[in-house]
């Protein structure tokens, strides 16, 4: 590739699309990466692109294309991902926030107003869930835990960057370092069956943190542990909301002890897959 032939953003985009033809979204990927190389938004690139690009931006874009071609996720290349109402910093130590997880955030916001209460997020990753909630509900006291100190560092950086004052971050393996009781516990736990490791997209398998993806017991291990232990950390009548895998609804329903939980329901995501468990404690 010679820089001179690529100096026009329009041509660079066309070349990028070709190079990324194996991606599910080559055009979108190329646009985001070119905008990132230019230090402008994708909207600006599409509506009002500079007519020519300097060599260093061209080189940067080529480097991004090479990385993407090797399946590195776009969000790790740009270091950011939009989720709910904010843009979060991401890196290889945190799961990239998924749009289906916005269902959990929206449901919690629909269920509870901005009145003083305590909420716990188990497995905070980038912090996308607790921070999104904190920004909408400043009167809540939110605790976010993660087993990974690297993930927590990223979550704390996001909390600071987005000015979420009412979230505290604690390193904890599930509930091990959690104290007290909460009105609501939420989690987007790992729920992919370990045995599916060889069958999932390389973008995910080779780049995202395995401890954020895989669980034992056919992918149900973490959900089971949360269902078992969360009652000890919930106030009477408290709620537990947990994201689940698309095919896990019936297995999860089977794990629910009706002597402990009073109400159980499931919500579908926008693709029509059962995605969210909502359980109310007696
Ligand atoms: N809570 C974070 C998210 O939803 C991380 C979840 C995880 O690592 N499994 O993106």
């Amino acid at each position: 590739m010679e820089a001179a032939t690529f100096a026009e953003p329009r041509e660079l985009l066309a070349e990028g699309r070709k190079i990324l033809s194996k991606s599910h979204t080559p055009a979108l990927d190329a646009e985001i990466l070119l905008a990132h190389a230019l230090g402008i938004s994708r909207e600006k690139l599409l509506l009002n692109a500079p007519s020519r690009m300097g060599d260093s931006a061209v080189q940067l874009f080529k480097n991004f294309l090479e990385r993407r071609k090797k399946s590195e996720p776009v969000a790790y290349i740009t270091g950011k991902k939009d989720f709910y109402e904010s843009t979060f910093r991401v890196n290889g130590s945190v799961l990239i926030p998924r749009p289906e997880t916005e269902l959990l955030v929206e449901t919690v916001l629909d269920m509870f107003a901005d009145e003083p209460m305590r909420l716990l997020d188990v497995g905070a990753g980038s912090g996308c869930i607790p921070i999104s909630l904190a920004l909408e509900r400043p009167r809540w006291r939110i605790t976010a835990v993660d087993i990974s100190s690297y993930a927590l560092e990223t979550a704390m950086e996001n909390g600071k960057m987005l000015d979420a004052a009412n979230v505290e971050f604690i390193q904890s393996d599930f509930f091990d370092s959690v104290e007290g009781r909460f009105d609501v516990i939420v989690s987007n736990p790992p729920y992919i069956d370990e045995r599916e490791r060889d069958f999932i997209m390389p973008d995910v398998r080779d780049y995202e943190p395995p401890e954020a993806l895989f669980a034992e017991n056919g992918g149900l291990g973490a959900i089971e542990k949360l269902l078992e232990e969360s009652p000890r950390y919930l106030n009477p009548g408290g709620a537990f909301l947990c994201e689940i895998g698309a095919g896990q609804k019936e297995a999860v329903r089977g794990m629910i002890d009706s002597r402990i939980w009073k109400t159980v329901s499931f919500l579908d995501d926008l693709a029509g897959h059962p995605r969210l468990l909502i359980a109310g404690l007696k």
Side-chain angles (χ1 to χ4, degrees), residues 165-225:
N166 50 327
V167 191
E168 58 164 356
F169 296 93
I170 298 172
Q171 190 172 6
S172 178
D173 183 5
F174 285 86
F175 298 96
D176 284 1
S177 304
V178 171
E179 277 168 24
R181 287 185 184 261
F182 299 82
D183 303 293
V184 181
I185 296 177
V186 300
S187 184
N188 174 22
Y191 52 68
I192 303 174
D193 185 344
E194 287 169 324
R195 291 165 304 184
E196 277 170 34
R197 210 177 276 258
D198 293 340
F199 307 106
I200 64 175
M201 281 166 67
D203 312 39
V204 175
R205 183 193 59 218
D206 299 342
Y207 289 92
E208 297 200 78
E211 65 274 24
L213 299 171
F214 300 106
E216 50 194 26
N217 189 14
L220 292 162
I223 297 172
E224 191 170 24
K225 192 171 160 80

Side-chain angles (χ1 to χ4, degrees), residues 52-278:
R52 299 193 72 72
M53 279 174 72
D55 275 355
S56 63
V58 174
Q59 281 311 323
L60 204 56
F61 179 56
K62 286 187 192 171
N63 169 277
F64 294 162
L65 290 176
E66 283 311 307
R67 289 168 65 183
R68 180 70 191 118
K69 207 177 147 190
K70 291 183 191 138
S71 298
E72 184 169 351
V74 170
Y76 288 154
I77 299 174
T78 62
K80 54 190 189 207
K81 179 73 183 178
D82 291 340
F83 176 85
Y84 196 64
E85 300 281 341
S86 308
T87 303
F88 290 83
R89 293 215 174 287
V90 294
N91 54 58
S93 58
V94 299
L95 189 83
I96 299 166
R98 303 294 202 270
E100 54 268 33
T101 304
E102 292 178 2
L103 176 67
L104 191 161
V105 170
E106 282 160 6
T107 306
V108 173
L109 292 173
D110 280 349
M111 288 172 68
F112 305 98
D114 195 16
E115 271 153 28
M117 64 165 212
R118 286 192 77 191
L119 179 140
L120 171 69
D121 176 34
V122 183
S126 64
C128 63
I129 297 172
I131 293 168
S132 298
L133 292 173
L135 294 175
E136 298 287 329
R137 297 288 186 267
R139 298 176 74 192
W140 295 1
R141 262 179 67 206
I142 298 179
T143 302
V145 304
D146 202 287
I147 188 174
S148 154
S149 61
Y150 298 109
L152 274 186
E153 221 172 89
T154 304
M156 283 162 84
E157 204 185 299
N158 278 321
K160 222 184 209 170
M161 178 181 80
L162 295 166
D163 262 333
N166 50 327
V167 191
E168 58 164 356
F169 296 93
I170 298 172
Q171 190 172 6
S172 178
D173 183 5
F174 285 86
F175 298 96
D176 284 1
S177 304
V178 171
E179 277 168 24
R181 287 185 184 261
F182 299 82
D183 303 293
V184 181
I185 296 177
V186 300
S187 184
N188 174 22
Y191 52 68
I192 303 174
D193 185 344
E194 287 169 324
R195 291 165 304 184
E196 277 170 34
R197 210 177 276 258
D198 293 340
F199 307 106
I200 64 175
M201 281 166 67
D203 312 39
V204 175
R205 183 193 59 218
D206 299 342
Y207 289 92
E208 297 200 78
E211 65 274 24
L213 299 171
F214 300 106
E216 50 194 26
N217 189 14
L220 292 162
I223 297 172
E224 191 170 24
K225 192 171 160 80
L226 286 163
L227 269 171
E228 226 171 78
E229 297 187 10
S230 56
R232 286 202 287 286
Y233 297 89
L234 276 173
N235 287 321
F240 171 57
L241 291 94
C242 185
E243 185 166 317
I244 62 169
Q248 296 178 329
K249 178 172 159 178
E250 290 317 316
V252 170
R253 196 196 292 281
M255 288 190 234
I256 291 172
D257 185 341
S258 58
R259 291 166 302 183
I260 295 175
W261 300 98
K262 188 170 64 182
T263 57
V264 177
S265 55
F266 292 87
L267 288 182
D268 290 352
D269 63 19
L270 291 174
H273 302 299
R275 186 61 68 189
L276 187 65
L277 158 71
I278 310 169

